[in-house]
Amino acid sequence: MSTTILAIESSCDETSASVCVNGKILSNYIANQSVHEKYGGVVPELASRAHMQNIVPVVDTALAAAFPELNNTTDRLKQLDAIAFTQSPGLIGSLLVGTQFAKSLALTLNKPLIAVHHMQAHVLANLIGDDIPEFPFLCLTVSGGHTQIVLAHDPLNLEVIGETIDDAAGEAFDKSAKLLGLPYPGGPLIDKYAKTGDPLKFKFAEPQIPELNFSFSGLKTSVLYFLQKQETGFIEANLADLCASIQHTIITILLKKVKKAVQQTGIKQVCIAGGVSANSGLRASLQEMGQKHGWKTFIPKFEYCTDNAAMIAITAHYKYQAAQFASLDANPSARSH
């Protein structure tokens, strides 16, 4: 029996909608918000307003892409068996927009509602497509707000075995970029300039944290103190090398812990997920390390790395199979737990 799910993602500053049928993604549409660039970071109130403007056209576009043979939205909505939404974590105002829209649609169509955890969805983005990992697998999840190593026993049983004790890897990229005078979002720009730089030119701090946990606040401080000692014009003259060295340090910190996790668990199916997994240096380094140590490495397509509704849809697919539905009084939460 066919199961068609509409999924909505609105946890931060991307409004996204996706349609999947039996776990196959038919559409995945994302509207980005450029309004935050001049503020150097996401402004929650502006994000909420943008979601309210975007959500109807985004859902309409995703439905039209999934069912091009149908002429109107009403007929497309009749194809749906469930509505999924991101419940947590994220910006509470942004989450509220997606949650209330999903609830209203589920109530109107008399269809079940599925609440999805954003970080679980990042991990399960690796299950989109044909070349997918077998369970159990390890997943390094790296985003602006989270850095975790997850042991995936099955789609609905994910165990966090390591996480950051302070800043996330994405924050380390963006804060370092800010110190270099790069505009927001700075992470992708560091990746861009790093391609022509020497990753070993400058040495920055690698905090020694026990077990499988991470820390990135020391790296940020190390970059700050190093730059404060330099003369005017130093950053401009050495931008590519600085970006390459900062990126190399962050990737080294991440992959040392992944290697340790593989050694501790014996699991050699290794995935990556989250916005920072779009970083070309990290993707290449993980694949190289996998080849060197005999792991099988899985990296999602770029469109499934950043916040997107397809990852919400694939998670909802497994939750639907397990009859894990939410009630209409389900509330969003800004927190992870």
Side-chain angles (χ1 to χ4, degrees):
M1 189 173 138
S2 179
T3 304
T4 304
I5 299 171
L6 168 69
I8 295 160
E9 152 62 19
S10 68
S11 64
C12 191
D13 62 337
E14 278 102 358
T15 314
S16 181
S18 174
V19 176
C20 84
V21 176
N22 296 338
K24 184 184 178 192
I25 303 300
L26 296 191
S27 66
N28 182 43
Y29 188 72
I30 305 168
N32 295 307
Q33 301 176 4
S34 58
V35 68
H36 308 283
E37 289 171 7
K38 60 183 173 183
Y39 299 103
V42 177
V43 181
E45 176 65 26
L46 295 178
S48 305
R49 289 182 194 173
H51 282 303
M52 291 174 74
Q53 293 170 340
N54 291 339
I55 195 159
V56 171
V58 163
V59 168
D60 213 25
T61 302
L63 287 169
F67 308 114
E69 72 283 2
L70 300 176
N71 296 323
N72 59 69
T73 303
T74 303
D75 288 343
R76 292 165 187 152
L77 288 170
K78 287 177 183 174
Q79 308 303 309
L80 303 178
D81 296 302
I83 315 296
F85 68 98
T86 304
Q87 183 177 29
S88 67
L91 301 174
I92 193 65
S94 296
L95 289 167
L96 271 166
V97 175
T99 301
Q100 293 307 116
F101 187 90
K103 283 184 184 180
S104 302
L105 202 53
L107 185 63
T108 304
L109 299 174
N110 193 28
K111 299 295 181 183
L113 192 64
I114 302 172
V116 173
H117 191 286
H118 183 81
M119 298 313 295
Q120 178 188 15
H122 268 308
V123 175
L124 298 192
N126 283 282
L127 302 183
I128 298 172
D130 299 321
D131 184 25
I132 62 173
E134 297 172 3
F135 291 96
F137 65 79
L138 292 170
C139 184
L140 172 66
T141 310
V142 272
S143 67
H146 296 82
T147 302
Q148 300 174 334
I149 297 178
V150 176
L151 171 51
H153 299 281
D154 63 55
L156 304 179
N157 182 8
L158 306 182
E159 179 188 355
V160 177
I161 59 175
E163 59 190 330
T164 184
I165 61 172
D166 45 52
D167 288 1
E171 287 177 281
F173 271 110
D174 286 337
K175 288 177 179 177
S176 296
K178 195 170 185 178
L179 294 173
L180 295 173
L182 298 175
Y184 176 87
L189 290 173
I190 286 186
D191 188 18
K192 176 185 171 185
Y193 293 123
K195 290 186 171 95
T196 57
D198 177 0
L200 304 177
K201 181 76 178 284
F202 304 110
K203 183 80 174 153
F204 298 111
E206 288 182 37
Q208 302 304 306
I209 307 301
E211 293 306 314
L212 299 175
N213 292 328
F214 302 89
S215 169
F216 291 98
S217 63
L219 166 64
K220 178 192 66 182
T221 307
S222 174
V223 173
L224 173 64
Y225 288 168
F226 175 79
L227 294 176
Q228 284 176 341
K229 293 175 191 169
Q230 309 307 321
E231 296 177 359
T232 305
F234 175 82
I235 292 175
E236 291 79 2
N238 296 276
L239 185 59
D241 290 340
L242 284 165
C243 288
S245 299
I246 291 167
Q247 178 163 295
H248 174 75
T249 307
I250 294 171
I251 291 170
T252 300
I253 293 168
L254 291 169
L255 294 190
K256 276 183 180 176
K257 296 292 185 173
V258 173
K259 184 180 176 183
K260 193 171 185 177
V262 171
Q263 290 169 341
Q264 286 186 8
T265 62
I267 294 168
K268 292 191 174 182
Q269 301 255 322
V270 180
C271 304
I272 195 169
V276 181
S277 68
N279 179 280
S280 63
L282 179 57
R283 293 166 82 92
S285 297
L286 184 71
Q287 284 182 316
E288 283 170 21
M289 188 175 261
Q291 287 168 352
K292 182 180 176 183
H293 296 287
W295 313 338
K296 192 161 183 197
T297 309
F298 298 87
I299 299 176
K301 289 182 181 177
F302 280 108
E303 67 177 301
Y304 304 137
C305 292
T306 53
D307 293 348
N308 68 91
M311 68 184 195
I312 306 301
I314 195 72
T315 308
H317 164 71
Y318 290 102
K319 295 191 85 166
Y320 187 97
Q321 289 182 327
Q324 291 187 7
F325 301 118
S327 65
L328 285 169
D329 59 3
N331 290 317
S333 171
R335 297 177 179 272
S336 287
H337 304 295

mmCIF file of all heavy atoms in Angstrom, residues 9 14-15 17 25 35 57 64 99 124 130 164 178 190 192 195 215 220 248 301-302 314 322 335:
data_model
loop_
_atom_site.group_PDB
_atom_site.id
_atom_site.type_symbol
_atom_site.label_atom_id
_atom_site.label_comp_id
_atom_site.label_asym_id
_atom_site.label_seq_id
_atom_site.Cartn_x
_atom_site.Cartn_y
_atom_site.Cartn_z
ATOM 1 N N GLU A 9 9.738 21.795 6.992
ATOM 2 C CA GLU A 9 10.894 22.129 7.833
ATOM 3 C C GLU A 9 10.972 23.651 7.978
ATOM 4 O O GLU A 9 11.013 24.377 6.976
ATOM 5 C CB GLU A 9 12.172 21.548 7.214
ATOM 6 C CG GLU A 9 13.461 22.270 7.516
ATOM 7 C CD GLU A 9 13.876 22.327 8.976
ATOM 8 O OE1 GLU A 9 13.383 21.515 9.786
ATOM 9 O OE2 GLU A 9 14.680 23.211 9.302
ATOM 10 N N GLU A 14 15.459 28.545 6.853
ATOM 11 C CA GLU A 14 15.033 27.989 5.571
ATOM 12 C C GLU A 14 13.612 27.464 5.712
ATOM 13 O O GLU A 14 13.318 26.731 6.650
ATOM 14 C CB GLU A 14 15.929 26.828 5.119
ATOM 15 C CG GLU A 14 17.207 27.249 4.446
ATOM 16 C CD GLU A 14 18.413 27.160 5.356
ATOM 17 O OE1 GLU A 14 18.230 26.807 6.542
ATOM 18 O OE2 GLU A 14 19.514 27.472 4.902
ATOM 19 N N THR A 15 12.737 27.869 4.796
ATOM 20 C CA THR A 15 11.391 27.299 4.738
ATOM 21 C C THR A 15 11.423 26.233 3.655
ATOM 22 O O THR A 15 11.771 26.519 2.514
ATOM 23 C CB THR A 15 10.353 28.370 4.357
ATOM 24 O OG1 THR A 15 10.578 29.553 5.109
ATOM 25 C CG2 THR A 15 8.941 27.862 4.623
ATOM 26 N N ALA A 17 9.642 22.414 2.001
ATOM 27 C CA ALA A 17 8.574 21.411 1.947
ATOM 28 C C ALA A 17 9.011 20.294 0.998
ATOM 29 O O ALA A 17 9.715 20.529 0.020
ATOM 30 C CB ALA A 17 7.270 22.029 1.463
ATOM 31 N N ILE A 25 11.800 10.337 -2.368
ATOM 32 C CA ILE A 25 11.548 11.774 -2.404
ATOM 33 C C ILE A 25 11.107 12.197 -3.807
ATOM 34 O O ILE A 25 11.840 12.016 -4.793
ATOM 35 C CB ILE A 25 12.820 12.566 -1.995
ATOM 36 C CG1 ILE A 25 13.299 12.132 -0.606
ATOM 37 C CG2 ILE A 25 12.562 14.066 -2.044
ATOM 38 C CD1 ILE A 25 12.319 12.343 0.526
ATOM 39 N N VAL A 35 17.487 38.037 4.302
ATOM 40 C CA VAL A 35 17.267 39.201 5.157
ATOM 41 C C VAL A 35 18.277 39.301 6.306
ATOM 42 O O VAL A 35 18.549 40.373 6.833
ATOM 43 C CB VAL A 35 15.816 39.194 5.704
ATOM 44 C CG1 VAL A 35 15.601 38.044 6.675
ATOM 45 C CG2 VAL A 35 15.474 40.512 6.381
ATOM 46 N N PRO A 57 3.521 29.432 -0.470
ATOM 47 C CA PRO A 57 4.093 29.182 -1.812
ATOM 48 C C PRO A 57 5.091 28.020 -1.849
ATOM 49 O O PRO A 57 5.180 27.317 -2.858
ATOM 50 C CB PRO A 57 4.775 30.511 -2.170
ATOM 51 C CG PRO A 57 4.849 31.302 -0.918
ATOM 52 C CD PRO A 57 3.745 30.827 -0.042
ATOM 53 N N ALA A 64 3.209 20.794 -6.379
ATOM 54 C CA ALA A 64 3.146 20.865 -7.844
ATOM 55 C C ALA A 64 4.271 20.055 -8.487
ATOM 56 O O ALA A 64 4.072 19.386 -9.504
ATOM 57 C CB ALA A 64 3.215 22.324 -8.295
ATOM 58 N N THR A 99 4.795 24.293 12.638
ATOM 59 C CA THR A 99 3.935 23.421 13.448
ATOM 60 C C THR A 99 2.463 23.757 13.249
ATOM 61 O O THR A 99 1.632 22.869 13.014
ATOM 62 C CB THR A 99 4.304 23.554 14.942
ATOM 63 O OG1 THR A 99 5.671 23.208 15.127
ATOM 64 C CG2 THR A 99 3.430 22.658 15.804
ATOM 65 N N LEU A 124 19.122 10.674 9.327
ATOM 66 C CA LEU A 124 18.387 9.810 8.397
ATOM 67 C C LEU A 124 18.383 10.334 6.964
ATOM 68 O O LEU A 124 17.921 9.628 6.054
ATOM 69 C CB LEU A 124 16.949 9.598 8.899
ATOM 70 C CG LEU A 124 16.818 8.893 10.253
ATOM 71 C CD1 LEU A 124 15.370 8.486 10.509
ATOM 72 C CD2 LEU A 124 17.718 7.658 10.343
ATOM 73 N N ASP A 130 19.491 5.414 -3.312
ATOM 74 C CA ASP A 130 19.706 3.973 -3.482
ATOM 75 C C ASP A 130 20.921 3.458 -2.710
ATOM 76 O O ASP A 130 20.893 2.364 -2.151
ATOM 77 C CB ASP A 130 19.875 3.644 -4.967
ATOM 78 C CG ASP A 130 18.632 4.005 -5.769
ATOM 79 O OD1 ASP A 130 17.520 3.787 -5.249
ATOM 80 O OD2 ASP A 130 18.780 4.525 -6.888
ATOM 81 N N THR A 164 29.506 17.970 21.373
ATOM 82 C CA THR A 164 30.298 19.119 21.771
ATOM 83 C C THR A 164 29.909 19.577 23.178
ATOM 84 O O THR A 164 28.735 19.510 23.555
ATOM 85 C CB THR A 164 30.153 20.285 20.775
ATOM 86 O OG1 THR A 164 31.007 21.346 21.166
ATOM 87 C CG2 THR A 164 28.722 20.782 20.687
ATOM 88 N N LYS A 178 34.121 35.485 10.923
ATOM 89 C CA LYS A 178 33.845 36.854 11.388
ATOM 90 C C LYS A 178 35.136 37.539 11.817
ATOM 91 O O LYS A 178 35.359 38.718 11.540
ATOM 92 C CB LYS A 178 32.846 36.802 12.550
ATOM 93 C CG LYS A 178 32.208 38.127 12.870
ATOM 94 C CD LYS A 178 31.060 37.961 13.853
ATOM 95 C CE LYS A 178 30.349 39.289 14.058
ATOM 96 N NZ LYS A 178 29.201 39.153 14.986
ATOM 97 N N ILE A 190 34.909 30.305 4.040
ATOM 98 C CA ILE A 190 36.164 29.676 4.466
ATOM 99 C C ILE A 190 36.467 28.474 3.568
ATOM 100 O O ILE A 190 37.597 28.280 3.123
ATOM 101 C CB ILE A 190 36.103 29.257 5.955
ATOM 102 C CG1 ILE A 190 36.200 30.494 6.852
ATOM 103 C CG2 ILE A 190 37.216 28.266 6.295
ATOM 104 C CD1 ILE A 190 36.296 30.203 8.335
ATOM 105 N N LYS A 192 35.518 28.031 0.514
ATOM 106 C CA LYS A 192 35.870 28.542 -0.823
ATOM 107 C C LYS A 192 37.336 28.992 -0.873
ATOM 108 O O LYS A 192 38.093 28.587 -1.760
ATOM 109 C CB LYS A 192 34.940 29.710 -1.163
ATOM 110 C CG LYS A 192 35.263 30.394 -2.484
ATOM 111 C CD LYS A 192 34.370 31.614 -2.674
ATOM 112 C CE LYS A 192 34.828 32.435 -3.866
ATOM 113 N NZ LYS A 192 34.034 33.687 -3.994
ATOM 114 N N LYS A 195 40.388 26.351 -0.573
ATOM 115 C CA LYS A 195 40.758 25.524 -1.732
ATOM 116 C C LYS A 195 42.096 25.939 -2.333
ATOM 117 O O LYS A 195 42.789 25.124 -2.941
ATOM 118 C CB LYS A 195 39.654 25.589 -2.794
ATOM 119 C CG LYS A 195 38.368 24.870 -2.401
ATOM 120 C CD LYS A 195 37.384 24.853 -3.560
ATOM 121 C CE LYS A 195 36.202 23.956 -3.254
ATOM 122 N NZ LYS A 195 35.067 24.663 -2.703
ATOM 123 N N SER A 215 35.211 19.988 21.580
ATOM 124 C CA SER A 215 35.210 21.380 22.046
ATOM 125 C C SER A 215 35.814 22.238 20.946
ATOM 126 O O SER A 215 36.831 21.876 20.356
ATOM 127 C CB SER A 215 36.030 21.527 23.330
ATOM 128 O OG SER A 215 36.225 22.899 23.621
ATOM 129 N N LYS A 220 38.528 28.887 18.536
ATOM 130 C CA LYS A 220 38.107 30.253 18.228
ATOM 131 C C LYS A 220 38.998 31.264 18.959
ATOM 132 O O LYS A 220 39.452 32.258 18.369
ATOM 133 C CB LYS A 220 36.643 30.425 18.663
ATOM 134 C CG LYS A 220 36.071 31.811 18.452
ATOM 135 C CD LYS A 220 34.739 31.944 19.169
ATOM 136 C CE LYS A 220 34.928 31.856 20.684
ATOM 137 N NZ LYS A 220 33.675 31.928 21.438
ATOM 138 N N HIS A 248 41.394 23.086 8.190
ATOM 139 C CA HIS A 248 42.173 21.869 8.455
ATOM 140 C C HIS A 248 42.103 21.490 9.938
ATOM 141 O O HIS A 248 41.951 20.307 10.277
ATOM 142 C CB HIS A 248 43.625 22.076 8.033
ATOM 143 C CG HIS A 248 44.539 20.948 8.399
ATOM 144 N ND1 HIS A 248 44.536 19.744 7.714
ATOM 145 C CD2 HIS A 248 45.462 20.815 9.396
ATOM 146 C CE1 HIS A 248 45.423 18.924 8.265
ATOM 147 N NE2 HIS A 248 46.000 19.553 9.284
ATOM 148 N N LYS A 301 23.746 13.965 -0.685
ATOM 149 C CA LYS A 301 23.828 15.025 -1.686
ATOM 150 C C LYS A 301 23.788 16.378 -0.968
ATOM 151 O O LYS A 301 23.218 16.494 0.117
ATOM 152 C CB LYS A 301 22.635 14.940 -2.648
ATOM 153 C CG LYS A 301 22.686 13.758 -3.597
ATOM 154 C CD LYS A 301 21.474 13.825 -4.522
ATOM 155 C CE LYS A 301 21.461 12.647 -5.489
ATOM 156 N NZ LYS A 301 20.248 12.661 -6.334
ATOM 157 N N PHE A 302 24.362 17.406 -1.612
ATOM 158 C CA PHE A 302 24.415 18.732 -0.997
ATOM 159 C C PHE A 302 23.044 19.216 -0.540
ATOM 160 O O PHE A 302 22.907 19.817 0.521
ATOM 161 C CB PHE A 302 25.018 19.747 -1.980
ATOM 162 C CG PHE A 302 26.515 19.696 -2.052
ATOM 163 C CD1 PHE A 302 27.157 19.177 -3.160
ATOM 164 C CD2 PHE A 302 27.291 20.160 -0.997
ATOM 165 C CE1 PHE A 302 28.546 19.125 -3.237
ATOM 166 C CE2 PHE A 302 28.680 20.114 -1.058
ATOM 167 C CZ PHE A 302 29.310 19.598 -2.173
ATOM 168 N N ILE A 314 11.790 11.671 5.047
ATOM 169 C CA ILE A 314 12.297 10.294 5.162
ATOM 170 C C ILE A 314 12.157 9.792 6.597
ATOM 171 O O ILE A 314 11.846 8.622 6.839
ATOM 172 C CB ILE A 314 13.757 10.186 4.653
ATOM 173 C CG1 ILE A 314 14.148 8.713 4.433
ATOM 174 C CG2 ILE A 314 14.744 10.845 5.585
ATOM 175 C CD1 ILE A 314 13.516 8.061 3.251
ATOM 176 N N ALA A 322 5.920 2.851 11.858
ATOM 177 C CA ALA A 322 5.857 2.419 13.264
ATOM 178 C C ALA A 322 4.647 2.994 13.984
ATOM 179 O O ALA A 322 4.507 2.823 15.207
ATOM 180 C CB ALA A 322 7.132 2.847 13.990
ATOM 181 N N ARG A 335 14.523 23.330 22.402
ATOM 182 C CA ARG A 335 15.595 22.490 22.944
ATOM 183 C C ARG A 335 15.698 21.150 22.228
ATOM 184 O O ARG A 335 14.724 20.668 21.653
ATOM 185 C CB ARG A 335 15.370 22.246 24.435
ATOM 186 C CG ARG A 335 15.408 23.536 25.258
ATOM 187 C CD ARG A 335 15.106 23.251 26.717
ATOM 188 N NE ARG A 335 15.156 24.466 27.500
ATOM 189 C CZ ARG A 335 16.240 24.958 28.054
ATOM 190 N NH1 ARG A 335 17.395 24.336 27.908
ATOM 191 N NH2 ARG A 335 16.206 26.078 28.772
#
